[in-house]
């Protein structure tokens, strides 16, 4: 098709941007579209927003090759890949599909017979058929006949994106078998893992099942941790021992479940099947209750000294990522601050806090609370340096 790019990616976040890089690296003519001006300005300067050096190296290479361009709005393209956010309504616990709908609308004027549309965003069950399809068909083209639609969720683990995007197995869920084949061929440009072809609804299920499995597993670990608290025993040790059973694999209890996936995706199942989703909803609530439980534990630790300086280390949603979205650590800190406690904050990965290093931070606190153990914090705590002598340390 003359003048059309090979692929246009809409939404250049944690998933869309790495895919854009990999397709451009493979030699395709790729355009990236995002509504965030600041982000687009950073891209124009060659800055990779994700804190992974390997991705920055790939970005440098593709910019030099000239196979990647950034656009404010999409234009003609052989394939469109939509990777915009699908957040959750905080009260209704239902998917907010505005960004997805508007991305679909934005490509309608450019759709031509033979186009392939890939949805990558995490979506509720049946979304391809009930939300995406009717919008695309406003073009006058028929899905499955004139244009193809495929749902291809990602499984990227923040912190290890550059490796996983290539080596993970990918689910490729076509509205038709032909759509799955075409999308698999496109992904085959950079994916070395298996390209597992299925239908769109099964692919929607897979994505949600994966994160729900993890969320429910963590909820069980958290609940066991609360139960162990009654008996003053170390649940971490008990779980390690239980996991020596060949068919048991419990995850770790913690301060709660954050990030932009686990706290949200299970609701995308529950929203579509509320009556059946008893366990899924309960697990979500258990994990959401954890920051409050941890704040209570910290309060108990300083009950003899209401004015104790509480040093909280780590504020991101998990260790060693520079991402604070849905961070349980902030919930805990804000709860304590709201009650007037004197909280000091240190996070070397986010660059938060006024402290030049961990020792400096420790010197300014009476109780050290390790909320999110980045490697640098863990190493210091494990080393047990003398500057920690006499300090109460709580590790979660
Ligand atoms: N957490 C625990 N205990 C654990 C493991 C994690 O409390 O044993 C907490 C973390 O501290 C964090 C939260 O859970 O607050 C989520 O962290 P995570 O590492 O489990 O997951 P994410 O959100 O970084 O990435 C997940 C991954 N999904 C699975 O492992 C099934 C990733 O592969 C997905 O691509 C990503 O969600 C996504 O985009 O959906």
């Amino acid at each position: 098709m003359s003048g059309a790019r090979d692929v246009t990616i809409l939404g250049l976040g944690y998933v869309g941007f790495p895919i854009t890089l990999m397709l451009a690296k493979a030699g395709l003519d790729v355009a990236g579209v995002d509504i965030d001006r600041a982000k687009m300005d950073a891209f124009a300067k060659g800055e990779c927003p994700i804190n992974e050096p390997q991705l920055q190296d790939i970005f440098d290479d593709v910019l030099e090759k000239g196979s990647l361009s950034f656009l404010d709005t999409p234009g003609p393209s052989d394939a469109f890949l939509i990777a915009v956010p699908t957040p959750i309504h905080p009260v209704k616990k239902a998917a907010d599909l505005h960004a997805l709908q508007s991305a679909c609308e934005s490509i309608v004027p450019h759709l031509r017979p033979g186009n392939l549309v890939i949805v990558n965003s995490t979506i509720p069950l049946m979304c391809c058929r009930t939300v995406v399809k009717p919008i695309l068909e406003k073009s006058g083209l028929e899905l499955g006949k004139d244009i193809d639609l495929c749902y291809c969720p990602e499984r990227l683990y923040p912190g290890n994106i550059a490796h996983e995007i290539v080596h993970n197995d990918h689910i490729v869920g076509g509205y038709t078998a032909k759509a799955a084949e075409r999308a698999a061929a496109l992904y085959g440009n950079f994916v070395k893992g298996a390209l597992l072809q299925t239908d769109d609804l099964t692919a929607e299920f897979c994505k949600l099942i994966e994160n729900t499995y993890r969320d429910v597993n963590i909820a069980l670990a958290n609940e066991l941790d609360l139960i162990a608290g009654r008996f003053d025993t170390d649940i971490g040790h008990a779980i390690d021992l239980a996991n020596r059973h060949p068919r048991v694999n419990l995850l770790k209890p913690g301060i709660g479940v954050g990030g932009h996936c686990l706290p949200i995706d299970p609701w995308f199942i529950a929203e579509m099947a509320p009556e059946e989703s008893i366990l899924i909803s309960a697990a979500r609530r258990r994990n959401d209750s954890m920051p409050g439980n941890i704040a209570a534990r910290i309060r108990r630790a300083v009950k003899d000294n209401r004015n104790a300086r509480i040093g909280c280390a780590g504020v991101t949603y998990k260790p060693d990522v520079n991402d604070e979205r849905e961070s349980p650590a902030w919930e805990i800190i804000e709860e304590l601050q709201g009650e007037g406690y004197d909280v000091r904050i240190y996070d070397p990965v986010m660059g938060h806090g006024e402290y030049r290093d961990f020792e400096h931070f420790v010197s300014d606190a009476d109780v050290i609370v390790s909320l999110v153990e980045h490697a640098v914090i863990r190493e210091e705590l494990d080393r047990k340096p003398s500057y920690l002598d006499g300090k109460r340390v709580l590790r979660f």
Side-chain angles (χ1 to χ4, degrees):
M1 197 185 298
S2 77
R5 292 174 198 277
D6 292 328
V7 192
T8 299
I9 291 96
L10 295 98
L12 302 176
Y14 267 78
V15 171
F17 186 61
I19 294 179
T20 305
L21 290 185
M22 300 316 290
L23 289 170
K25 183 175 175 232
L28 278 79
D29 179 11
V30 179
V33 180
D34 200 292
I35 57 163
D36 183 337
R37 222 16 304 146
K39 195 183 261 183
M40 292 296 262
D41 289 345
F43 290 139
K45 287 191 224 140
E47 289 166 11
C48 171
I50 305 169
N51 182 23
E52 281 192 35
Q54 249 186 299
L55 291 176
Q56 180 68 59
D57 292 346
I58 300 171
F59 194 20
D60 294 344
D61 285 353
V62 298
L63 285 177
E64 212 174 287
K65 264 197 199 160
S67 52
L68 167 60
S69 43
F70 294 101
L71 305 174
D72 290 331
T73 50
S77 190
D78 292 341
F80 295 92
L81 192 148
I82 300 175
V84 296
T86 45
I88 192 158
H89 187 284
V91 180
K92 290 187 209 152
K93 299 293 183 199
D96 172 354
L97 298 175
H98 282 97
L100 176 70
Q101 286 162 319
S102 109
C104 291
E105 298 277 0
S106 77
I107 63 171
V108 168
H110 305 290
L111 286 175
R112 302 286 177 267
N115 277 172
L116 168 67
V117 178
I118 296 177
V119 174
N120 199 282
S121 312
T122 303
I123 49 178
L125 301 173
M126 290 297 288
C127 183
C128 279
R129 296 178 198 186
T130 60
V131 178
V132 177
K133 178 175 183 279
I135 299 177
L136 299 183
E137 288 189 335
K138 285 185 190 174
S139 63
L141 300 166
E142 194 183 323
L143 210 64
K145 188 166 155 260
D146 307 314
I147 49 174
D148 286 314
L149 172 67
C150 201
Y151 181 55
C152 301
E154 262 311 332
R155 300 166 151 178
L156 303 178
Y157 196 72
N160 194 25
I161 290 176
H163 176 83
E164 294 210 348
I165 197 166
V166 174
H167 296 279
N168 282 357
D169 293 344
H170 283 63
I171 308 284
V172 181
Y175 180 71
T176 59
K178 176 168 135 272
E181 225 155 83
R182 291 186 66 195
L186 183 65
Y187 274 83
N189 280 297
F190 64 90
V191 172
K192 295 200 172 113
L195 290 159
L196 306 166
Q197 296 181 36
T198 180
D199 63 85
D200 53 336
L201 177 59
T202 306
E204 289 170 350
F205 248 119
C206 285
K207 172 68 197 175
L208 300 177
I209 288 171
E210 291 162 15
N211 282 343
T212 300
Y213 160 78
R214 204 162 164 83
D215 195 49
V216 171
N217 189 328
I218 296 168
L220 175 59
N222 280 331
E223 192 152 299
L224 293 170
D225 186 27
L226 295 174
I227 293 166
R230 281 183 173 266
F231 303 100
D232 200 20
T233 184
D234 177 358
I235 195 65
H237 185 50
I239 287 178
D240 285 347
L241 294 176
N243 281 347
R244 299 293 288 270
H245 185 293
R247 285 171 295 282
V248 174
N249 187 16
L250 268 168
L251 289 167
K252 290 188 172 28
I255 62 169
V257 167
H260 39 106
C261 307
L262 270 59
I264 297 166
D265 298 1
W267 291 122
F268 288 8
I269 296 180
E271 168 188 356
M272 302 305 286
E275 283 173 23
E276 293 84 352
S277 303
I278 296 168
L279 176 64
I280 293 171
S281 307
R284 259 310 44 253
R285 295 210 160 82
R286 168 51 72 218
N287 286 334
D288 278 350
S289 76
M290 290 312 292
N293 281 303
I294 300 296
R297 275 191 223 178
I298 298 169
R299 271 194 301 272
R300 279 199 296 278
V302 296
K303 69 176 185 323
D304 296 332
N305 179 8
R306 183 69 172 74
N307 298 320
R309 296 166 302 165
I310 304 172
C312 289
V315 298
T316 56
Y317 87 86
K318 69 175 184 177
D320 298 309
V321 295
N322 66 335
D323 188 338
E324 300 171 289
R325 284 176 292 178
E326 315 281 332
S327 161
W330 274 122
E331 263 188 71
I332 295 163
I333 291 167
E334 280 160 14
E335 182 172 330
L336 294 171
Q337 284 175 332
E339 290 162 358
Y341 285 94
D342 180 355
V343 180
R344 316 287 164 110
I345 298 164
Y346 174 67
D347 193 309
V349 172
M350 273 325 286
H352 279 310
E354 68 224 54
Y355 304 104
R356 61 178 176 270
D357 56 26
F358 190 61
E359 180 172 358
H360 185 211
F361 160 71
V362 168
S363 70
D364 200 34
D366 302 307
V367 177
I368 310 301
V369 184
S370 171
L371 290 175
V372 182
E373 255 177 49
H374 301 307
V376 283
I377 298 173
R378 187 174 57 251
E379 280 157 20
E380 274 308 274
L381 289 174
D382 287 349
R383 202 170 65 79
K384 297 193 174 64
S386 54
Y387 63 76
L388 278 169
D389 288 351
K391 301 270 179 180
R392 173 115 194 242
V393 179
L394 303 180
R395 293 178 82 168
F396 294 106

